Amino acid sequence: MSFKFLREEGKTFKTPKAYFLPKIHKLSTETLEMYQNECMNKEKVHVPGRPIISQCSGPLLNIGKYLDYFLLPLVKTQATYLSDTSDFIRYIESTHTKQSDLLVSYDITSLYTNLNFNEINTAIENTLKDHVNQEYEIKRPSTESLLDILSILLTKNEFTFNENAYKQIVGVSMGGVASPEISDIAIFDHINNIIEQYPYKDNIKFHKTNER
């Protein structure tokens, strides 16, 4: 059944296309007010965009789903995992702090498109090996096979934009089914390496991340 799902015999594939979601919230208040009051030429408003590569009917869609199936349960085992806002609120309400405690937040800029292939591969490989006994409804393939699929997703991510063809050479694509889980595992590994070198790591009471 897995082979049939991955092979997709007889299916017609389409080359994925890239498009951009406008990030209106990144515009300054002044720019927005001028735009709303029609004091600015709309063509001169440069709105930042979030690049999305649509995998619908693309050749990497199903292998992405397949890898994601085996990675998602591993992401949920991470100590920093948050499922949603309600989960965050529950943790906050049960965490007791002192006046001397520090509240720290951080933001990773363009996480998906800045991850290094080698870092991703190492993090995924270590996580798969650490969870060899993870149970699934279908048989999990070997770690080597899943890493082969990961390599295809990373190195064969080709798409078109404005009738030109491109291939992503760093990071994972926003729009890929497995991209959230791949990014979660890679950045979890990276952050843990940083915290292990932090001299006051034992003083951290609460550390949760939301990479999605």
Side-chain angles (χ1 to χ4, degrees):
M1 289 178 63
S2 295
F3 179 72
K4 183 179 180 180
F5 174 78
L6 293 172
R7 188 178 183 185
E8 300 185 88
E9 186 176 1
K11 180 177 178 179
T12 300
F13 296 99
K14 297 180 180 178
T15 303
K17 293 184 178 182
Y19 64 94
F20 291 83
L21 293 178
K23 301 168 73 172
I24 305 298
H25 61 286
K26 294 290 185 178
L27 295 177
S28 67
T29 303
E30 180 182 3
T31 299
L32 287 172
E33 289 179 351
M34 293 179 66
Y35 180 84
Q36 291 171 350
N37 295 328
E38 299 184 355
C39 298
M40 178 181 289
N41 188 332
K42 295 181 179 180
E43 294 181 358
K44 293 184 178 180
V45 180
H46 298 289
V47 182
R50 177 178 284 111
I52 306 293
I53 299 176
S54 175
Q55 299 288 349
C56 295
S57 299
L60 301 183
L61 179 62
N62 273 20
I63 64 171
K65 289 181 179 179
Y66 188 70
L67 180 63
D68 186 69
Y69 173 82
F70 295 105
L71 294 185
L72 181 56
L74 308 188
V75 171
K76 292 181 178 181
T77 66
Q78 295 173 351
T80 60
Y81 175 74
L82 283 173
S83 59
D84 51 33
T85 303
S86 298
D87 194 27
F88 172 71
I89 293 173
R90 283 192 294 270
Y91 274 110
I92 286 295
E93 289 179 340
S94 61
T95 300
H96 302 285
T97 60
K98 296 181 297 185
Q99 191 171 4
S100 58
D101 290 337
L102 298 176
L103 175 63
V104 179
S105 65
Y106 55 88
D107 179 38
I108 302 172
T109 304
S110 303
L111 169 62
Y112 282 41
T113 53
N114 279 324
L115 291 170
N116 179 277
F117 284 173
N118 291 331
E119 290 178 346
I120 292 173
N121 190 77
T122 299
I124 299 295
E125 181 178 8
N126 291 339
T127 301
L128 288 171
K129 289 181 176 179
D130 289 341
H131 295 83
V132 291
N133 296 322
Q134 178 71 38
E135 295 184 359
Y136 299 94
E137 292 185 5
I138 62 176
K139 183 179 179 180
R140 173 183 145 170
S142 67
T143 297
E144 291 73 20
S145 296
L146 291 175
L147 290 176
D148 285 342
I149 292 177
L150 173 65
S151 177
I152 293 172
L153 292 175
L154 295 178
T155 63
K156 305 298 182 182
N157 184 29
E158 300 176 2
F159 59 95
T160 61
F161 179 72
N162 276 354
E163 299 183 357
N164 292 316
Y166 300 90
K167 180 167 73 172
Q168 188 163 346
I169 59 174
V170 64
V172 294
S173 66
M174 301 191 73
V177 179
S179 292
E181 275 58 67
I182 293 172
S183 300
D184 284 349
I185 292 173
I187 200 60
F188 177 75
D189 185 72
H190 190 65
I191 291 174
N192 273 350
N193 290 334
I194 294 174
I195 291 180
E196 280 302 311
Q197 301 175 50
Y198 180 54
Y200 303 104
K201 62 182 180 181
D202 294 333
N203 296 83
I204 298 176
K205 291 185 175 181
F206 176 88
H207 179 214
K208 297 292 179 181
T209 58
N210 180 19
E211 293 92 13
R212 291 171 180 266

